[in-house]
Amino acid sequence: MNAPSDTIVRSELPAQADAAAARSAVSWRRLRALVTKETRQLLRDKSNLMVGLFLPVVLILIFGYGLSFDIRNAPIAIVTDDTSPTALDVLAGFYLSPYFSVTQPTSMHEAQQLMLNRKVDAIVHLQSDFSRQLAAGNATIQVLVNGVDANRARVLQAFAQGAISQWAIKRAAAGEVSAMPVPAVSLQTRLWYNEANNSTYFLVPGLIVLVMTLNGALLTSLVMAREWERGTLESLFVTPVNSNEIIISKLVPYFGVGLAGLAMCLLAGKFLFAVPIRGSLLLIVAISMLYLLVSLSLGLLISAATKNQFLASQLALITSFLPALMLSGFIFDLHSVPAVIRGISRVLPATYYVEALQTLFLAGNEWGLIVKDGAVLVVHAVLLLVLTRLNTRKELA
Amino acid sequence: MSATLHRILILIRKELIAVLKDPRSRLILLVPVVLQSLLFGYAATFDLNEVPYALLESDHSGAAKDFMAQVDGSGVFKRVVELRNAKQIGDVIGRKQALLVIHLPPDFERQIQSGRGAVIQVITDGRNSNTGNIAAGYVGAVVERFNATWSEQHGQVRPPLRIENRAWYNTNLETRWNMIPSLIAALSMLQVLMLTALSVAREREQGTFDQLLVTPLRPTEIMVGKAIPSILIGIAQSTIILTLARFWFGIPFQGSLVTLYLGLVLFTTASVGIGLALSAFSATMQQAMLYTFVLLMPMMLLSGLTSAISNMPQTMQYLTLANPLRYAIEMTQRVYLEGAGIAVLYNDMWPLVVIAAITLPTAVWLFRHRLV
């Protein structure tokens, strides 16, 4: 400014406003330079690529081939002191069932030892006078399960019930109607969107949520904190670069890595695991980009606020990754948790992303849900970006 | 020998000060453990209550009313909407208004009275097939109860075959009982591994590790001095979670504390070994953290924490054998709920010793011979 000294005093206020505007205006040249710098930094360190690209592959393999909620070949012990054809007939369902893999200890004591040592998950016990009792119309089959894994135990109980009902139905069909009365009410269950009852169908959308969370929050949480710890952010302050440019340049490269992760997951879901995509692929990509932005901004905010890598990584884990796994409704249903925890899960962006992805993959374009989830994510993104901007002022603490 | 001990003690003191002097670090070691135990303790359950359901009822007979009274009285279901026709099912499930739809056929009562039996249709939201199955299972239980009452009231023949179900260790089959003891190991490992991974990497990044190497401390002594503070912190965290499990959630502790702590010490030592080896391998703190994370994720997922190991294909099951968390979760569950002793848990303990015996010397070697 070439104004004489007395005008400086008078024009101080407008000049400050001008300077502020200049400080927040984004210059493409500077931005390009910064993005190049950040991208090089990202690519140079192999650990970034390990998390950004290698970890998603590992997760795809684990989720697709490892994790499963479908019980097959559960080891059970059958103890029968009755070797009559009737008893064997009742038990046939257990031997033929794909859910059980049967061992036959000779005594109840031996079976209990097997259960104590976790060699079997359940014991089915027929007493020595089983067929006589059955003829008298008063027989009992004992089903003992190890209740430590309660969910598994309950499913095994249901399978055992099923195996025995099959026998009853067979007998009734063979004409022995009086032996086994038809139950007053029977149940016909249909599992919509996943008729095959394959848990991979909900694990793969969940996997995408985890990969997006990881790439976003964890990687970026370290970015700014590292520069604070090393003092390199201070060197950036003395350059003409402004805060907006710093934030954008740190988002862009990680956004790219996140998209690469998304592409890998989608390809694996479609071609390796044959998960149906019933909604629009475009919507899946769009809402994923939105969530990626939320998760990147969360990471940057943590990074800018803590200025310390250990704290930042712990906070990123605690606020983004673990809740995405445990509180988002991905594995554990949210209807059954206490109100406080439901409240917390409703604040988490992951909850809405999980809902949107599961719906888009399996149910189709349910516009009502998708628009709601998208809107919530937009609010999250804006809020987090504003907070990050406020935490990234060019001044020393 | 006493000189060695003296040197190690000094290093331990220095490490503990380095970790605990910053109030923010102290908070981050305490608050998340407590918060997460509470959050996950309540959230991580497969037991359902307040399942929102929609009713499509074409029959307003007495039998239908009786049945629905049993559904509503079970304490599990909450009726959110009544449908008028089957076309509405798609909307109600699709928009997640209801998790399931119960459909009673028009001639429900007549079919029961005719002796042929009535069929109730249950349509569940399969977007999370696990939850869908569990919810359908609950309806199944109501149906069974209804059938028993019906045949009793209408003087039908009692079924000649009865199944007597009993569950060991967890009589009411509460999934929380299974989840919370596993957290004793899992939550403390999260932080211990991260903390240890940073310990050497931080000194390397700041250049103080070279100084440490030229002191009279031998590499093994450095390793011991860095391992013990992390082990202490890990055990302290486990103790907090154990206290919450026992006194906040009121889950009865069946085993012996000595066995549990022996197992936890072995487990934490194995985790610290992994953390130190990674730390010695990394050039910067960022690398240490990200490598730890790359390892931590599969370890958490393949530990049996969220889905049972026995459901996995055989090759994946072999992979879990190298995962210390797998043994720790099995061990804490068994001591806690089954009251298992060392004789039974031996098989979960020796692999932890092996893991520690491999990783700790590797860390010592890497102190001086970094690969990259």
Side-chain angles (χ1 to χ4, degrees):
Chain A
M1 247 175 292
N2 300 325
S5 58
D6 58 316
T7 55
I8 290 180
V9 182
R10 267 182 281 125
S11 68
E12 197 175 61
L13 286 175
Q16 264 184 349
D18 277 359
R23 268 197 307 252
S24 59
V26 171
S27 135
W28 283 113
R29 198 174 55 85
R30 286 200 300 262
L31 191 60
R32 222 179 26 237
L34 271 178
V35 169
T36 314
K37 169 221 161 214
E38 291 294 335
T39 312
R40 283 202 185 135
Q41 261 189 332
L42 188 154
L43 294 177
R44 203 170 46 200
D45 194 332
K46 270 173 283 169
S47 62
N48 273 322
L49 296 179
M50 282 278 271
V51 170
L53 300 176
F54 173 73
L55 191 55
V57 174
V58 172
L59 290 181
I60 288 170
L61 294 178
I62 291 179
F63 272 75
Y65 295 116
L67 299 189
S68 169
F69 286 92
D70 312 325
I71 296 176
R72 297 270 184 282
N73 293 322
I76 60 164
I78 290 185
V79 182
T80 169
D81 307 325
D82 182 350
T83 49
S84 67
T86 324
L88 291 179
D89 200 31
V90 172
L91 292 172
F94 288 96
Y95 291 98
L96 297 175
S97 162
Y99 303 121
F100 301 118
S101 146
V102 178
T103 48
Q104 279 182 300
T106 49
S107 69
M108 198 57 191
H109 176 75
E110 200 182 317
Q112 283 175 347
Q113 284 303 313
L114 287 175
M115 188 124 114
L116 274 176
N117 289 308
R118 289 213 168 174
K119 299 282 183 231
V120 297
D121 290 337
I123 302 173
V124 178
H125 183 208
L126 263 61
Q127 268 143 2
S128 55
D129 53 353
F130 174 77
S131 41
R132 203 150 36 79
Q133 297 277 4
L134 186 65
N138 190 23
T140 308
I141 293 181
Q142 252 191 348
V143 177
L144 294 174
V145 291
N146 184 334
V148 169
D149 186 344
N151 192 40
R152 187 179 176 81
R154 205 174 280 138
V155 176
L156 286 178
Q157 283 181 346
F159 285 160
Q161 179 91 49
I164 293 164
S165 312
Q166 269 182 351
W167 170 81
I169 290 164
K170 216 170 59 188
R171 301 304 294 209
E176 293 177 45
V177 185
S178 61
M180 208 66 200
V182 179
V185 175
S186 55
L187 203 59
Q188 189 189 46
T189 312
R190 288 186 55 200
L191 199 59
W192 267 21
Y193 313 124
N194 189 354
E195 304 278 351
N197 202 350
N198 181 345
S199 57
T200 311
Y201 282 18
F202 77 88
L203 286 174
V204 167
L207 156 77
I208 298 180
V209 175
L210 289 189
V211 168
M212 293 287 105
T213 310
L214 263 180
N215 272 338
L218 189 77
L219 287 182
T220 44
S221 73
L222 299 178
V223 165
M224 209 86 98
R226 185 177 57 221
E227 298 225 26
W228 276 110
E229 276 188 349
R230 291 183 183 164
T232 49
L233 210 58
E234 288 173 28
S235 352
L236 262 184
F237 285 171
V238 298
T239 65
V241 167
N242 64 42
S243 304
N244 286 345
E245 287 162 358
I246 294 180
I247 292 175
I248 296 173
S249 68
K250 293 205 183 283
L251 287 177
V252 170
Y254 291 95
F255 198 77
V257 176
L259 287 186
L262 176 68
M264 284 195 291
C265 292
L266 286 176
L267 289 173
K270 178 131 183 64
F271 296 108
L272 286 182
F273 311 124
V275 176
I277 300 180
R278 298 187 179 123
S280 137
L281 185 63
L282 208 65
L283 274 179
I284 292 182
V285 173
I287 204 138
S288 300
M289 288 166 96
L290 196 53
Y291 179 75
L292 191 57
L293 189 64
V294 171
S295 141
L296 287 168
S297 337
L298 179 66
L300 271 189
L301 175 62
I302 290 173
S303 201
T306 58
K307 304 184 170 71
N308 171 314
Q309 293 187 71
F310 172 66
L311 289 178
S313 72
Q314 289 296 310
L315 267 181
L317 260 181
I318 290 159
T319 56
S320 68
F321 175 69
L322 284 174
L325 181 67
M326 309 285 275
L327 300 178
S328 65
F330 155 40
I331 292 178
F332 303 104
D333 190 69
L334 295 175
H335 292 301
S336 315
V337 299
V340 182
I341 291 173
R342 204 173 318 152
I344 295 173
S345 75
R346 289 226 174 106
V347 178
L348 296 171
T351 309
Y352 299 92
Y353 186 44
V354 165
E355 182 175 274
L357 271 194
Q358 284 186 345
T359 303
L360 283 171
F361 265 92
L362 300 176
N365 298 338
E366 282 287 342
W367 287 102
L369 274 185
I370 306 301
V371 168
K372 180 200 81 185
D373 295 335
V376 174
L377 288 178
V378 168
V379 172
H380 270 108
V382 170
L383 211 68
L384 287 168
L385 280 174
V386 168
L387 283 174
T388 313
R389 177 64 185 78
L390 293 178
N391 267 287
T392 323
R393 274 196 229 106
K394 280 180 74 175
E395 58 194 34
L396 296 177
Chain B
M1 188 62 209
S2 75
T4 300
L5 199 65
H6 180 66
R7 286 196 295 264
I8 291 178
L9 281 176
I10 289 175
L11 187 56
I12 290 176
R13 183 152 172 270
K14 175 231 148 199
E15 290 293 324
L16 280 175
I17 291 175
V19 175
L20 299 177
K21 75 157 192 260
D22 179 7
R24 288 195 304 175
S25 297
R26 284 201 301 264
L27 273 184
I28 205 92
L29 288 175
L30 180 70
V31 176
V33 169
V34 174
L35 270 183
Q36 290 179 77
S37 306
L38 294 177
L39 274 181
F40 300 157
Y42 283 116
T45 166
F46 289 115
D47 305 331
L48 298 179
N49 51 57
E50 295 191 38
V51 176
Y53 80 95
L55 175 64
L56 177 56
E57 188 184 13
S58 325
D59 187 34
H60 297 279
S61 61
K65 284 204 177 64
D66 282 353
F67 181 77
M68 290 322 298
Q70 291 219 8
V71 170
D72 291 328
S74 66
V76 177
F77 299 98
K78 196 175 73 185
R79 194 184 303 180
V80 286
V81 60
E82 288 183 27
L83 307 181
R84 282 186 309 279
N85 57 58
K87 282 197 206 103
Q88 294 174 300
I89 297 177
D91 270 354
V92 145
I93 300 253
R95 293 200 190 123
K96 290 211 163 184
Q97 256 182 294
L99 186 67
L100 57 90
V101 173
I102 298 180
H103 179 198
L104 299 185
D107 44 0
F108 182 70
E109 191 174 52
R110 233 166 357 99
Q111 286 194 338
I112 300 179
Q113 281 165 348
S114 75
R116 275 172 289 131
V119 177
I120 293 176
Q121 251 199 345
V122 169
I123 295 137
T124 55
D125 181 351
R127 265 170 278 192
N128 182 332
S129 57
N130 195 40
T131 308
N133 287 329
I134 295 169
Y138 281 128
V139 185
V142 173
V143 166
E144 251 170 68
R145 246 173 299 151
F146 178 81
N147 284 343
T149 335
W150 180 273
S151 60
E152 206 173 292
Q153 283 170 354
H154 294 76
Q156 280 190 0
V157 212
R158 228 159 56 91
L161 190 54
R162 213 165 48 83
I163 299 170
E164 185 191 296
N165 274 316
R166 251 195 304 153
W168 280 10
Y169 312 126
N170 180 1
T171 324
N172 296 323
L173 291 182
E174 284 184 58
T175 40
R176 184 170 295 149
W177 282 30
N178 155 43
M179 181 56 74
I180 294 175
S182 355
L183 293 181
I184 295 176
L187 284 186
S188 69
M189 185 186 79
L190 271 181
Q191 287 198 310
V192 166
L193 208 57
M194 218 43 122
L195 196 67
T196 327
L198 287 181
S199 68
V200 179
R202 181 186 291 118
E203 300 219 29
R204 257 212 237 278
E205 191 168 314
Q206 293 169 349
T208 51
F209 197 68
D210 289 334
Q211 295 171 11
L212 203 59
L213 284 175
V214 297
T215 59
L217 281 159
R218 279 187 283 272
T220 314
E221 292 167 10
I222 298 179
M223 182 273 282
V224 175
K226 290 225 170 247
I228 289 179
S230 298
I231 295 174
L232 289 177
I233 290 171
I235 299 285
Q237 291 195 329
S238 296
T239 307
I240 296 173
I241 307 167
L242 174 67
T243 315
L244 285 172
R246 178 66 194 83
F247 296 104
W248 179 276
F249 289 105
I251 305 171
F253 184 76
Q254 305 289 357
S256 116
L257 280 176
V258 177
T259 317
L260 181 67
Y261 274 89
L262 173 67
L264 285 176
V265 167
L266 292 179
F267 165 64
T268 317
T269 312
S271 314
V272 165
I274 294 175
L276 272 183
L278 276 179
S279 191
F281 176 77
S282 313
T284 60
M285 288 165 75
Q286 185 200 352
Q287 283 185 2
M289 260 179 293
L290 294 183
Y291 286 142
T292 312
F293 206 75
V294 169
L295 211 64
L296 205 54
M297 290 275 296
M299 278 164 75
M300 293 287 272
L301 292 168
L302 295 176
S303 66
L305 183 66
T306 48
S307 91
I309 290 175
S310 48
N311 291 354
M312 297 172 189
Q314 201 58 49
T315 34
M316 281 284 179
Q317 292 197 26
Y318 288 132
L319 270 181
T320 66
L321 294 178
N323 182 0
L325 189 57
R326 175 223 155 111
Y327 302 104
I329 284 182
E330 190 167 299
M331 193 183 60
T332 41
Q333 283 184 350
R334 299 193 64 182
V335 178
Y336 199 114
L337 300 172
E338 299 177 14
I342 293 180
V344 180
L345 297 174
Y346 172 75
N347 280 329
D348 287 325
M349 289 182 172
W350 69 258
L352 293 173
V353 176
V354 172
I355 293 171
I358 294 172
T359 51
L360 288 172
T362 308
V364 173
W365 188 80
L366 282 172
F367 283 165
R368 283 184 180 280
H369 309 79
R370 232 178 56 79
L371 300 173
V372 195

